[in-house]
Amino acid sequence: MTELLQWARHHWHRLTSGRTQDEDERPYNYSSLLVCGGKSPQTPKPAGKHRVVIPHLQCFRDEYERFSGTYVNNRIRTTKYTLLNFVPRNLFEQFHRAANLYFLFLVVLNWVPLVEAFQKEITMLPLVVVLTIIAIKDGLEDYRKYKIDKQINNLITKVYSRKEKKYIDCCWKHVTVGDFIRLSCNEIIPADMVLLFSTDPDGICHIETSGLDGESNLKQRQVVRGFAEQDSEVDPEKFSSRIECESPNNDLSRFRGFLEHSNKERVGLSKENLLLRGCTIRNTEAVVGIVVYAGHETKAMLNNSGPRYKRSKLERRANTDVLWCVLLLVVMCLTGALGHGIWLSRYENMVFFNIPEPDGRVISPVLTGFYVFWTMIILLQVLIPISLYVSIEIVKLGQIYFIQSDVDFYNEKMDSTIQCRALNITEDLGQIQYLFSDKTGTLTENKMVFRRCSVAGFDYCHEENAKRLESYQEAVFEEDEGTDTLSGSLSNMAKPRTHGCRTVPRGPLGSKSSTHLSGSIPALGSSGEGSGEVPHSRQAAFSSPIETDVVPDTRLLDKFSQITPQLFTPLDGTTQSPPLEILYILDFFIALAICNTVVVSAPNQPRQKIGLSSLSGMPIKSLEEIKNIFQKLSVRRSSSPSLAGGKDPTSGAPCAFVSRISFFSRTKLSPPMEDESSQMGESPQADNSACCTETEAQNSALGLTIGSAEALDGPPPLAANLCYEAESPDEAALVYAARAYHCTLQSRTPEQVMVDFAALGSLTFQLLHILPFDSVRKRMSVVVRHPLSKQVVVYTKGADSVIMELLSVASPDGTNLEKHQMIIREKTQSHLDEYAKRGLRTLCIAKKVMSDAEYAEWLRNHFLAETSIDNREELLVESAMRLENKLTLLGATGIEDRLQEGVPETIEALHKAGIKIWMLTGDKQETAVNIAYACKLLEPEDKLFILNSQSKGACEMLMSAILKELQKRTQAPPEPASLRKSFRRPPDPQHSGRSGLVITGKTLEFALQESLQRQFLELTAWCQAVVCCRATPLQKSEVVKLVRNHLHVMTLAIGDGANDVSMIQVADIGIGVSGQEGMQAVMASDFAISRFRHLGKLLLVHGHWCYTRLSNMILYFFYKNVAYVNLLFWYQFFCGFSGTSMTDYWVLIFFNLLFTSVPPIIYGVLEKDVSAETLLQLPELYQSGQQSEAYLPLTFWITLLDAFYQSLVCFFVPYFTYQGSDIDIFTFGNPLNTAALFIILLHLVIESKSLTWIHMLVMVGSILSYFFFALAFGALCVTCNPPSNPYWIMQKHMLDPVFYLVCVLTTCIALLPRFLYRVLQGSVFPSPILRAKCFDRLAPEERAEALKKWRGTVKINQVASPYARQSAAQSGGTMTGPSAALAMKSTTACAVEQENLPTCETVLDLGCSELGALKMPEPLAC
């Protein structure tokens, strides 16, 4: 009623005012007024380009009705149906299927008297049953959605009432655009709204987005600039601004708009000011915002696409075969029509056969034949399996149920199992030929561990930290064995949390905190209600002990200890110049600590932000410190710290501060320290907890603050225990590394970042800007005002390939500082190459010092970019790139990302299964190659080709050279020719030897161009593994699309992050890994798993089963329908092709609909041709699905021929038995039906590889139901089908021995060829599947011996291949190999011993005309 009044008021106001619709005005949404509901469109279509939001207040009443009043409200509806539209809409959707339309046509056709074959009601029965079953399924699913929608719509929130002038309780469904909403801590945000007020003194609101993207770490949102300075809560009645923003869209990472005050002043809005529906308020007492998007126009709802619908390869094949059945039906009906016409022509003068019409007119044989054609269509309609599609849906639901019930997919640590989000492509899991995998988080743990760093050209290998990692691995392995069972039982005891501001949010059911090295049992996620105990702290993301506990390098720590206040304090009127290396170390660790978006919280009050206000508890040493504290607390915000934010260039510093002499300009070059022998007496050990505990072994003499001669006694009490909430594991690893060196990030506000530097005390950096990371720039930067130099400094971290290009150009003839920078650059680059070869993820750290004038000029241009709505992202990126140039290199970091458990074994099994695996990653070439060796994507004996070029022409030449080299290694010349034509016949690796290809992102860009695509695909077809490094998300999707469309193969893409979404959506099957990078990949996927190793069983076992079951079931449906329909067809030859049936119509309909429908469904759900254990031990068996052996076109036609033969036997054995007798038509048809039932059911028994009691129960049930129906129908139906009727026919036959003889003889003769074929196939020429099936019957000892012989045979065949020997002789060159340590789970080590393994790596250089095999460089020992 409220919506109706709004609509009426809106149009009445327009009519009375005589106003026409403006350009910016949106038409009213009529869909919300429909009684039947109707889901709002997935993608809103606004009339204007932008959205204008007017406050829902009395003073804006007219303008509100014009703009905000026309938008949809916050009511959501994910259901498709209502009580009124369920029947018509469901029927409308079901009749989109061609099969249903076909049977509807037959129903209508049977109502035509001239072609009527059955009773009108009988023809309708199959269609009605099928439609009813699907309608019930759809209705139950929709009702479940309705209950969830009702629960969400009736949630309560605080909305400002313009009548009562206060906030009142209101249901979510009544919230509209322009409403002011007040939320408290732990409340869920009901709609997308712009943040106008926060009780946080810094104007920050912390939100948890786990309900939106699965990420559990906190994120900061900021009050709109200009509102944060208000001392009291925003008063809606005094709000006089309006908001203009972009139209609703599903981009979660973007929000563009501005807030315009009454004085026409504009303030830019970004995603940092937007609170999204579905997120939860954390660490903030209360917030106030104004709604800009509601209901189905919120970003969360626009991203809620639900289960994806894809059509599987097998279903497409079945649709093709259905068309063949239609053609077969037309041929049979034409035969009947032609036969009836010929038959009437022969007896045209005999009135008995050619009865005239009531008016005396005789119908010609041609017209009668035309009528008979349509009669035959109705009679033989069962040839098209209407129940096939229903059965396929039921079988797939059963298969999904068993996949999700598999306990092997359960991850206890995450309390999650596999998710099947696409309900209709399970069989495609058994036909995968190409697998495209991300690296980070998919093959690896995504637990970033700080391993090494290079500062000012010196490498620090952190040997003690490497030993700590090895000991941690052993301790965790031992602990996991002893505590998994206990912690699993405890995890089920967690109860829902109570809602209070300081209540600890509970993680997923059964989530566990990180286990300690001491072997303690993980704590529960939360305490029960009313227990009175303090809730346990929820573990922050990326904060396991392996990530947080960093042991410092003794050499670097020794140099670090030289940083003292005396270096920067004038003594006796003289100025001391600190060594340049010490300044580099200082800036390096400052950059690690502040160049991020990490949120600092306290462990004793979980997820409570630590801000500058907490400094009141610190000991005060001097009046100057008191003055500094008051200055810190009185800082006023002038801008947002995000990329869209800006700061006053002169704020917080005197106007003449440029004239101050910085100690950075008074530095001198220090001699290089090659051999440092000084060691720290004792390295501080980091605490094992997830929170950062500062060591108490600090020297109090190093605690001086600049400007004060007094020392602090130790770290502040509130800074002693800190927890870090990071948005990425890389950020967390670097912050924890800085903390290990006593450079501790203590607090972060929108204005300032405080770092506790052990030697210099607390340094407070004024935060001017944060330029976040993006895939274009591949770096992030922070702009701060340095507390020591008072200069504007830009700290940047990013990919080495990008940072190196942004460094200031130094000439060899330049100053000593420029020459020193060139030396640092060269040494750092060599260190980066070494890190990459060890499989480490590398980042470069750099800085830039700006003058006030330069910063002010940049800020003016940046402000124009941040206040624009159109092309804001592009303008902001350009602005950031203008700032990030002429950088000074400080150093680099190497972070280790360990392989997940079971990844090498899984990839090895998938290789044996014939699946070609491509690794698509954004990492460096060396890192990607080493990870590929470690996870067994590349084998030591592989011939490795590296494709790296800088131009399209060079790329083409390199690919041609590699192809020639590969063709020399095989003696099969026809292979490449056929490959160029169809791309479907890659060479056998047994004949040519395994090959691997590594291609860089720049070269991949050339290879994906249309002119080089075929050559690139031909090259990759010869390689068993391909590694694409430095690949962008767009390139990942283009590679998958190229392979899928041109090679016509089944593809699978797996990833865990938002950068993998496009690749996942393009592939035939997309799999998301629910790891530490949120749920974007999971939400876009068809299946979601928690570990990569689960992919092995999903494909090799469940994929094989699903494909085999469904293939055989579909073939069985075609077989039984053709076999039964042909009985009617053969009878037409003995009844003048008149369309008469020898079976009662009810028996005819129920035969396929009831008596023979359940057994194939049970077969499709429960059939197991080979056990799961055998399928995992013999991955080669998966290749049968890749080649579609179970459902080939030849198999289909052989099945139809067998059906024709069995129908001939089933018809003519009873025919010759009863020939010359006086039995009636139904008495002749009864043994045909009975024999057909036994033949069809026993045919399924022959095809089944595993028979359970469920199979037998269903078989017996089908036979009993048939006889029960026949007996009851024969006893009760006296005049059901006059003039003939089935009265007492079955009763008489059951007393006749001939009936039993006919049934037995017919069944045996019909099934004998099929039975003999299966016997010979299993004994004389068994397939690999049948051979493996025999293993399941053996005793454990015999089974192990048989498997050993199987593998030995395969290995002997591979080794004895003459092609392999010849290719080895032709390859030549030095045979060297990567480190043996690369095959271990830990992909890196401080010092690695090189072994000579039979591996040949071929590196192609533009300067070389011939291919050469070069020895892989030895890793340098520390």
Coordinates of all heavy atoms in Angstrom, one line a residue, residues 417-460:
T417 N 33.4 -28.0 3.0 CA 33.5 -29.1 2.1 C 33.3 -28.6 0.7 O 33.1 -27.4 0.5 CB 32.5 -30.2 2.4 OG1 32.7 -31.4 1.6 CG2 31.1 -29.7 2.3
I418 N 33.2 -29.5 -0.3 CA 33.0 -29.1 -1.7 C 31.6 -28.5 -1.9 O 30.7 -28.9 -1.2 CB 33.3 -30.3 -2.6 CG1 33.3 -29.8 -4.1 CG2 32.2 -31.4 -2.4 CD1 33.7 -30.9 -5.0
Q419 N 31.6 -27.5 -2.7 CA 30.3 -26.8 -3.1 C 30.1 -27.1 -4.6 O 30.9 -26.8 -5.4 CB 30.3 -25.3 -2.8 CG 30.6 -25.0 -1.4 CD 30.7 -23.5 -1.2 OE1 30.0 -22.7 -1.9 NE2 31.5 -23.0 -0.3
C420 N 28.9 -27.6 -4.9 CA 28.5 -27.8 -6.3 C 27.5 -26.6 -6.7 O 26.3 -26.7 -6.3 CB 27.9 -29.1 -6.5 SG 29.0 -30.5 -6.1
R421 N 28.0 -25.6 -7.3 CA 27.2 -24.4 -7.6 C 26.5 -24.6 -9.0 O 25.5 -23.9 -9.3 CB 28.0 -23.2 -7.6 CG 28.8 -23.0 -6.2 CD 29.5 -21.7 -6.1 NE 28.5 -20.6 -5.8 CZ 28.2 -19.7 -6.7 NH1 28.7 -19.7 -7.9 NH2 27.3 -18.7 -6.4
A422 N 27.1 -25.3 -9.9 CA 26.5 -25.6 -11.2 C 25.9 -27.1 -11.1 O 26.7 -28.0 -10.9 CB 27.5 -25.5 -12.3
L423 N 24.6 -27.2 -11.3 CA 24.0 -28.4 -11.0 C 23.9 -29.4 -12.2 O 23.3 -30.5 -12.1 CB 22.5 -28.1 -10.5 CG 22.4 -27.2 -9.3 CD1 21.0 -27.0 -9.0 CD2 23.2 -27.7 -8.2
N424 N 24.4 -29.0 -13.4 CA 24.1 -29.8 -14.6 C 25.3 -30.1 -15.4 O 25.2 -30.4 -16.6 CB 23.1 -29.1 -15.4 CG 23.5 -27.7 -15.8 OD1 24.2 -27.1 -15.0 ND2 23.0 -27.2 -16.9
I425 N 26.5 -30.0 -14.9 CA 27.7 -30.3 -15.7 C 28.6 -31.3 -14.9 O 29.8 -31.3 -15.1 CB 28.5 -29.1 -16.1 CG1 28.9 -28.3 -14.8 CG2 27.7 -28.2 -17.0 CD1 29.8 -27.1 -15.1
T426 N 28.1 -32.1 -14.0 CA 28.9 -33.0 -13.3 C 29.6 -34.0 -14.2 O 30.8 -34.4 -13.9 CB 28.1 -33.8 -12.3 OG1 27.0 -34.5 -13.0 CG2 27.5 -32.9 -11.2
E427 N 29.0 -34.4 -15.3 CA 29.7 -35.4 -16.2 C 30.8 -34.8 -16.9 O 31.7 -35.6 -17.3 CB 28.6 -36.0 -17.2 CG 28.1 -35.0 -18.2 CD 26.9 -34.3 -17.6 OE1 26.7 -34.2 -16.4 OE2 26.1 -33.7 -18.4
D428 N 30.9 -33.5 -17.0 CA 32.0 -32.9 -17.7 C 33.3 -33.0 -16.9 O 34.4 -32.9 -17.4 CB 31.7 -31.4 -17.9 CG 30.9 -31.2 -19.2 OD1 30.7 -32.1 -19.9 OD2 30.4 -30.0 -19.4
L429 N 33.2 -33.3 -15.6 CA 34.3 -33.5 -14.8 C 35.1 -34.7 -15.2 O 36.3 -34.8 -14.9 CB 33.9 -33.7 -13.3 CG 33.3 -32.4 -12.6 CD1 32.8 -32.8 -11.2 CD2 34.4 -31.4 -12.4
G430 N 34.5 -35.6 -15.9 CA 35.2 -36.8 -16.4 C 35.7 -36.7 -17.7 O 36.2 -37.8 -18.3
Q431 N 35.7 -35.5 -18.4 CA 36.2 -35.4 -19.7 C 37.2 -34.3 -19.9 O 37.5 -33.9 -21.0 CB 35.0 -35.2 -20.7 CG 34.0 -36.3 -20.7 CD 32.8 -36.0 -21.6 OE1 31.9 -35.3 -21.3 NE2 32.9 -36.5 -22.8
I432 N 37.8 -33.8 -18.8 CA 38.7 -32.7 -18.9 C 40.0 -33.1 -19.6 O 40.6 -34.1 -19.3 CB 39.1 -32.2 -17.5 CG1 37.8 -31.7 -16.8 CG2 40.1 -31.1 -17.5 CD1 37.0 -30.6 -17.5
Q433 N 40.4 -32.2 -20.5 CA 41.7 -32.4 -21.3 C 42.7 -31.4 -21.0 O 43.9 -31.7 -21.1 CB 41.3 -32.5 -22.8 CG 40.4 -33.6 -23.2 CD 39.8 -33.4 -24.6 OE1 38.9 -32.7 -24.7 NE2 40.3 -34.1 -25.6
Y434 N 42.3 -30.2 -20.7 CA 43.3 -29.1 -20.4 C 42.9 -28.5 -19.0 O 41.7 -28.2 -18.8 CB 43.2 -28.0 -21.5 CG 44.1 -28.3 -22.7 CD1 43.7 -29.3 -23.6 CD2 45.3 -27.7 -22.9 CE1 44.5 -29.5 -24.7 CE2 46.1 -27.9 -24.0 CZ 45.7 -28.9 -24.9 OH 46.4 -29.1 -26.0
L435 N 43.9 -28.3 -18.2 CA 43.7 -27.7 -16.9 C 44.5 -26.4 -16.8 O 45.7 -26.5 -17.0 CB 44.0 -28.7 -15.8 CG 43.7 -28.3 -14.3 CD1 43.4 -29.5 -13.5 CD2 44.8 -27.5 -13.7
F436 N 43.9 -25.3 -16.5 CA 44.6 -24.0 -16.3 C 44.5 -23.7 -14.8 O 43.4 -23.5 -14.3 CB 43.9 -23.0 -17.2 CG 43.9 -23.3 -18.6 CD1 42.9 -24.0 -19.2 CD2 45.0 -22.9 -19.4 CE1 42.9 -24.3 -20.5 CE2 45.0 -23.2 -20.8 CZ 43.9 -23.9 -21.3
S437 N 45.7 -23.5 -14.2 CA 45.7 -23.3 -12.8 C 46.5 -22.0 -12.5 O 47.5 -21.7 -13.1 CB 46.4 -24.4 -12.1 OG 46.6 -24.2 -10.7
D438 N 45.9 -21.3 -11.5 CA 46.7 -20.2 -10.9 C 47.7 -20.8 -10.0 O 47.7 -21.9 -9.6 CB 45.7 -19.3 -10.1 CG 46.4 -18.2 -9.4 OD1 47.3 -17.6 -10.0 OD2 46.0 -17.9 -8.2
K439 N 48.7 -20.0 -9.6 CA 49.8 -20.5 -8.7 C 49.5 -20.1 -7.2 O 49.3 -20.9 -6.4 CB 51.1 -20.0 -9.1 CG 52.3 -20.5 -8.3 CD 53.6 -19.9 -8.7 CE 53.8 -18.5 -8.2 NZ 53.9 -18.4 -6.7
T440 N 49.5 -18.8 -7.0 CA 49.5 -18.3 -5.6 C 48.1 -18.6 -5.0 O 47.1 -18.2 -5.5 CB 49.7 -16.8 -5.5 OG1 51.0 -16.6 -6.1 CG2 49.8 -16.3 -4.1
G441 N 48.1 -19.3 -3.9 CA 46.8 -19.6 -3.2 C 46.1 -20.8 -3.8 O 45.2 -21.4 -3.2
T442 N 46.5 -21.3 -5.0 CA 45.9 -22.4 -5.6 C 46.8 -23.6 -5.5 O 46.4 -24.7 -4.9 CB 45.5 -22.2 -7.1 OG1 44.7 -21.0 -7.2 CG2 44.9 -23.4 -7.7
L443 N 48.0 -23.5 -6.0 CA 49.0 -24.5 -5.8 C 49.8 -24.3 -4.5 O 50.3 -25.2 -3.9 CB 50.0 -24.5 -7.0 CG 49.4 -24.7 -8.3 CD1 50.5 -24.6 -9.4 CD2 48.7 -26.1 -8.4
T444 N 49.8 -23.1 -4.0 CA 50.6 -22.8 -2.8 C 49.6 -22.4 -1.7 O 48.4 -22.3 -1.9 CB 51.5 -21.6 -3.0 OG1 50.7 -20.4 -3.4 CG2 52.5 -21.9 -4.1
E445 N 50.1 -22.3 -0.5 CA 49.3 -22.0 0.7 C 48.8 -20.6 0.8 O 47.8 -20.3 1.5 CB 50.1 -22.3 2.0 CG 50.5 -23.8 2.2 CD 49.4 -24.5 2.8 OE1 48.3 -24.0 3.0 OE2 49.5 -25.7 3.1
N446 N 49.4 -19.7 0.1 CA 49.1 -18.3 0.2 C 49.4 -17.8 1.7 O 48.8 -16.9 2.2 CB 47.7 -17.9 -0.1 CG 47.5 -16.5 -0.5 OD1 48.5 -15.8 -0.8 ND2 46.3 -16.0 -0.5
K447 N 50.3 -18.5 2.3 CA 50.9 -18.0 3.6 C 52.3 -17.5 3.3 O 53.2 -18.2 3.2 CB 50.9 -19.2 4.6 CG 49.6 -19.6 5.1 CD 49.7 -20.7 6.2 CE 48.3 -21.0 6.7 NZ 48.4 -22.1 7.8
M448 N 52.3 -16.1 3.3 CA 53.6 -15.5 2.9 C 54.5 -15.4 4.1 O 54.2 -14.9 5.2 CB 53.3 -14.1 2.4 CG 52.3 -14.1 1.2 SD 52.9 -15.1 -0.2 CE 51.5 -15.0 -1.2
V449 N 55.7 -16.0 3.9 CA 56.7 -16.0 5.0 C 57.9 -15.2 4.5 O 58.5 -15.4 3.5 CB 57.2 -17.4 5.3 CG1 58.2 -17.5 6.4 CG2 55.9 -18.3 5.7
F450 N 58.3 -14.2 5.4 CA 59.5 -13.4 5.0 C 60.7 -14.2 5.1 O 61.0 -14.8 6.1 CB 59.6 -12.2 6.0 CG 60.7 -11.3 5.7 CD1 60.5 -10.3 4.8 CD2 61.9 -11.4 6.3 CE1 61.5 -9.4 4.5 CE2 62.9 -10.5 6.1 CZ 62.7 -9.5 5.1
R451 N 61.5 -14.3 4.0 CA 62.6 -15.2 3.9 C 64.0 -14.5 3.7 O 64.9 -14.7 4.4 CB 62.5 -16.2 2.8 CG 61.5 -17.3 3.1 CD 62.2 -18.3 4.1 NE 63.3 -19.1 3.4 CZ 64.6 -18.9 3.6 NH1 65.0 -18.0 4.4 NH2 65.4 -19.6 3.0
R452 N 64.0 -13.5 2.8 CA 65.3 -12.8 2.6 C 65.0 -11.4 2.2 O 63.9 -11.0 1.8 CB 66.0 -13.5 1.5 CG 66.3 -15.0 1.7 CD 67.1 -15.6 0.6 NE 68.5 -15.1 0.6 CZ 69.5 -15.7 -0.1 NH1 69.2 -16.8 -0.8 NH2 70.7 -15.2 -0.1
C453 N 66.0 -10.5 2.3 CA 65.9 -9.2 1.8 C 67.2 -8.7 1.3 O 68.3 -9.2 1.7 CB 65.3 -8.3 2.9 SG 66.4 -8.0 4.3
S454 N 67.2 -7.7 0.5 CA 68.4 -7.0 0.0 C 68.2 -5.5 0.3 O 67.2 -4.9 -0.2 CB 68.6 -7.2 -1.5 OG 69.6 -6.4 -2.0
V455 N 69.1 -4.9 1.0 CA 69.0 -3.5 1.4 C 70.3 -2.8 1.0 O 71.4 -3.3 1.4 CB 68.8 -3.3 2.9 CG1 68.6 -1.8 3.2 CG2 67.6 -4.1 3.4
A456 N 70.2 -1.8 0.2 CA 71.4 -1.0 -0.2 C 72.4 -1.9 -0.9 O 73.6 -1.6 -0.8 CB 72.0 -0.2 1.0
G457 N 72.0 -2.9 -1.6 CA 72.9 -3.7 -2.4 C 73.5 -4.9 -1.6 O 74.3 -5.7 -2.2
F458 N 73.1 -5.1 -0.3 CA 73.6 -6.2 0.4 C 72.5 -7.2 0.7 O 71.4 -6.8 1.0 CB 74.1 -5.7 1.8 CG 75.4 -4.8 1.7 CD1 75.3 -3.5 1.7 CD2 76.6 -5.4 1.5 CE1 76.4 -2.7 1.5 CE2 77.8 -4.7 1.4 CZ 77.7 -3.3 1.4
D459 N 72.8 -8.5 0.5 CA 71.8 -9.6 0.6 C 71.9 -10.1 2.1 O 73.0 -10.4 2.6 CB 72.1 -10.7 -0.4 CG 71.1 -11.8 -0.3 OD1 70.0 -11.6 0.1 OD2 71.5 -12.9 -0.6
Y460 N 70.7 -10.3 2.7 CA 70.6 -10.9 4.0 C 69.8 -12.1 3.9 O 68.6 -12.0 3.6 CB 70.1 -9.9 5.0 CG 70.9 -8.6 5.0 CD1 70.5 -7.5 4.3 CD2 72.0 -8.5 5.8 CE1 71.2 -6.3 4.3 CE2 72.8 -7.3 5.8 CZ 72.4 -6.2 5.0 OH 73.1 -5.1 5.1

